[in-house]
Amino acid sequence: MNTATRIPALELPSTFRERAHIALGDSQLRGNFRTAMDSLMTKRALAFADAEEREQLRTLGNAIRARALSKLPDLLETLERNLTRQGIQVHWAETVEQANEIVLGIVATHEARQVIKGKSMVSEEMEMNDVLAAQGIECLEADMGEFIVQLDHEKPSHIIMPAIHKNAGQVASLFERKLGVEYTQDVDALIQIGRRVLRQKFFEADIGVSGVNFAVAETGTLLLVENEGNGRMVTSVPPVHIAVTGIEKVVENLRDVVPLLSLLTRSALGIPITTYVNMISSPRKAGELDGPEEVHLVLLDNGRSQAFADGELRQTLNCIRCGACMNHCPVYTRVGGHTYGQVYPGPIGKIITPHMVGLENAPDHPSASSLCGACGEVCPVKIPIPALLRRLREENVKAPAEGAPLLRGQGSKYSRKERLAWNTWARLNSSPRLYRAFLKMATRLRALAPAAAGPWTQHHSAPTPTPRSLHELAAEHLNGKTP
């Protein structure tokens, strides 16, 4: 079975608006998301039943992440020093291309032909599966959700639950078609089918790849949380382990991990702790019975330094990847993750993707929000997502900066006509004389008003000026005239 290459089952339109229109017409997709999100929101609410304790924990989580980011360069150096001393090889990558070159170099050194991978959003940024497949190397997903979407040649639609857009019947049909097993909608049976397929792969793989939830600088520890056990297998059975993570995942000490873990698991799944908490600090030592002989850590930037350089946008890097903002977002819940067309969907995707791919490649992301504020209210580390969306909207329509812009693609939606219109509006509303003249002209020439006013008139009547303005009516009333 070769599932290494992942290509879209159907070529989707290029713009967010077009993809959203298709998703909104898919009643099955909307039903799947509605059911899943209702369950996740209920579980989170129960997990944080004590509102006072929840807010205290969120405040602590925010402080921990802010402190780590304030010391980020020093903490990364400390992390590298401690990991290296313990036998873990540390690699730095500014771009996804560099990160893939590092991984391919390790693969080539060991003449590896099979790679098994635990859940990792950074590997999705790198499109690692496709890169390895191009070299004839099988890269199989070990996380059940990732395995399902890989089997169906799709991308994950959620950062925690990659196959959340599918229901049990759809997974059953997929397994029947791809794995040749008997159709069943029993969830436990489906999980066992997947595990049987994956079990042998753990022992056949030359290299295991994982993500990292937190990298502890003080102790040189890579920490991973999971529920299925695949993460522990990936990081302990193959002879070589490669961990890939973003530079923002570093925390100062183990004490900081405790509240962050509680926030992560309760926000993501509504549970107090995951089944497995893996802490990796070195390769296999003499006398130990299991563990890899070689461990590598790839630290990826991929636009994170751009966010770090701005005091306000730096808060984007606080994210602990719980997915709570997606679960409560009215836009994401209705259109699903694939509509965003990027690795990170939903509210967090709208504020982090522009740094990774440039605003010009995700121009609609900052505007794909109702600004209802739900994402900011549930974020476990208090990222002010609505405020950051407004900031990115401003950057999107600014005149392109000369030289090196603050954000890649800054001004991607800049329009001279729109800027002229707003400047004219500002001038009219700051000059009483011009404002009165404009009102008089608008009422007298009302017959020339256009019958269509862009998208507004697709579902509304075109606005038409009244014969007389409110100012004129008020003046006549004060002068004793009957309108």
Side-chain angles (χ1 to χ4, degrees):
M1 178 187 64
N2 185 355
T3 57
T5 304
R6 292 197 301 188
I7 56 174
L10 178 66
E11 284 295 327
L12 293 174
S14 59
T15 70
F16 178 91
R17 291 175 181 272
E18 292 171 326
R19 292 190 295 266
H21 183 75
I22 293 174
L24 289 171
D26 188 338
S27 59
Q28 180 67 72
L29 179 72
R30 295 182 65 180
N32 292 351
F33 271 98
R34 184 71 273 159
T35 300
M37 296 313 173
D38 286 346
S39 173
L40 289 168
M41 288 191 292
T42 300
K43 289 178 179 178
R44 178 191 174 276
L46 292 173
F48 287 115
D50 186 335
E52 183 177 354
E53 184 257 357
R54 179 194 65 218
E55 291 310 305
Q56 289 176 349
L57 194 57
R58 290 179 70 220
T59 300
L60 177 59
N62 175 268
I64 289 171
R65 293 300 297 134
R67 172 162 45 84
L69 288 176
S70 72
K71 304 177 180 180
L72 184 60
D74 292 336
L75 290 182
L76 287 170
E77 290 182 3
T78 301
L79 176 69
E80 179 184 31
R81 186 165 54 250
N82 288 332
L83 288 172
T84 302
R85 187 183 68 248
Q86 292 157 192
I88 295 178
Q89 301 177 49
V90 180
H91 310 266
W92 299 83
E94 184 176 348
T95 65
V96 293
E97 290 78 15
Q98 292 175 3
N100 281 317
E101 287 177 8
I102 292 167
V103 172
L104 287 173
I106 298 170
V107 168
T109 298
H110 294 274
E111 298 181 345
R113 304 312 303 169
Q114 291 191 48
V115 173
I116 192 158
K117 182 159 69 70
K119 194 172 185 318
S120 165
M121 292 308 296
V122 169
S123 72
E124 295 292 339
E125 290 179 42
M126 298 164 58
E127 297 187 325
M128 185 188 294
N129 292 10
D130 298 331
V131 171
L132 291 174
Q135 301 299 318
I137 300 160
E138 180 186 35
C139 186
L140 184 66
E141 297 286 354
D143 174 84
M144 186 58 62
E146 293 274 5
F147 175 70
I148 290 169
V149 297
Q150 183 183 33
L151 202 60
D152 209 17
H153 301 297
E154 291 182 330
K155 297 290 186 180
S157 61
H158 192 284
I159 63 175
I160 296 295
M161 292 150 287
I164 198 171
H165 57 288
K166 294 183 181 295
N167 59 31
Q170 291 170 313
V171 175
S173 297
L174 176 66
F175 278 14
E176 181 185 34
R177 186 172 69 254
K178 295 286 187 175
L179 303 179
V181 297
E182 186 178 345
Y183 180 92
T184 174
Q185 291 194 33
D186 183 88
V187 175
D188 290 335
L190 291 171
I191 291 174
Q192 292 305 317
I193 291 169
R195 284 179 176 173
R196 284 198 299 271
V197 172
L198 292 170
R199 179 64 58 171
Q200 188 61 34
K201 293 292 184 178
F202 287 116
F203 295 97
E204 295 174 354
D206 304 297
I207 293 176
V209 176
S210 77
V212 177
N213 289 99
F214 303 106
V216 185
E218 181 185 55
T219 58
T221 303
L222 306 180
L223 189 144
L224 293 80
V225 297
E226 44 140 350
N227 276 319
E228 300 174 13
N230 63 77
R232 184 159 294 182
M233 296 285 282
V234 162
T235 60
S236 61
V237 176
V240 178
H241 169 212
I242 303 174
V244 293
T245 190
I247 58 174
E248 82 282 12
K249 290 296 186 69
V250 67
V251 295
E252 191 166 3
N253 49 56
L254 278 172
R255 184 176 59 253
D256 289 341
V257 169
V258 178
L260 292 178
L261 271 181
S262 181
L263 285 166
L264 172 59
T265 57
R266 287 201 272 177
S267 298
L269 301 169
I271 57 178
I273 193 69
T274 51
T275 308
Y276 298 90
V277 177
N278 307 300
M279 295 188 183
I280 300 166
S281 55
S282 72
R284 183 193 304 185
K285 297 179 181 178
E288 292 182 339
L289 299 178
D290 60 10
E293 300 167 4
E294 198 173 294
V295 179
H296 298 261
L297 173 66
V298 180
L299 288 163
L300 177 63
D301 186 327
N302 193 28
R304 291 164 173 84
S305 291
Q306 176 179 271
F308 177 79
D310 184 274
E312 182 181 20
L313 298 175
R314 180 181 299 179
Q315 297 173 93
T316 301
L317 303 180
N318 282 350
C319 180
I320 58 176
R321 303 293 192 268
C322 69
C325 60
M326 301 179 190
N327 304 340
H328 292 74
C329 176
V331 177
Y332 174 87
T333 301
R334 285 160 178 78
V335 301
H338 292 149
T339 297
Y340 294 82
Q342 299 290 341
V343 172
Y344 297 98
I348 187 60
K350 296 169 196 172
I351 62 174
I352 197 172
T353 297
H355 298 289
M356 295 180 172
V357 304
L359 272 169
E360 75 277 16
N361 293 312
D364 293 327
H365 277 52
S367 301
S369 170
S370 64
L371 295 180
C372 68
C375 51
E377 290 180 10
V378 301
C379 177
V381 288
K382 291 191 171 184
I383 301 174
I385 298 177
L388 298 181
L389 285 172
R390 290 193 294 270
R391 168 68 186 282
L392 289 172
R393 290 181 182 188
E394 293 174 10
E395 299 295 338
N396 224 354
V397 297
K398 280 183 178 178
E402 295 182 4
L406 172 67
L407 292 174
R408 287 169 51 201
Q410 181 182 4
S412 62
K413 298 190 78 172
Y414 173 78
S415 166
R416 292 182 181 276
K417 291 182 179 179
E418 184 176 340
R419 183 54 54 88
L420 176 62
W422 282 115
N423 287 340
T424 301
W425 181 89
R427 182 73 185 277
L428 286 173
N429 284 272
S430 60
S431 170
R433 180 177 297 177
L434 284 176
Y435 184 75
R436 287 193 295 269
F438 171 77
L439 286 180
K440 189 171 184 177
M441 183 181 299
T443 56
R444 301 307 185 270
L445 301 177
R446 59 191 298 269
L448 300 179
W456 171 265
T457 51
Q458 291 178 7
H459 304 286
H460 302 81
S461 299
T464 303
T466 60
R468 284 178 293 174
S469 70
L470 179 61
H471 283 206
E472 289 179 308
L473 293 173
E476 290 178 0
H477 177 75
L478 292 174
N479 292 329
K481 296 180 180 181
T482 302

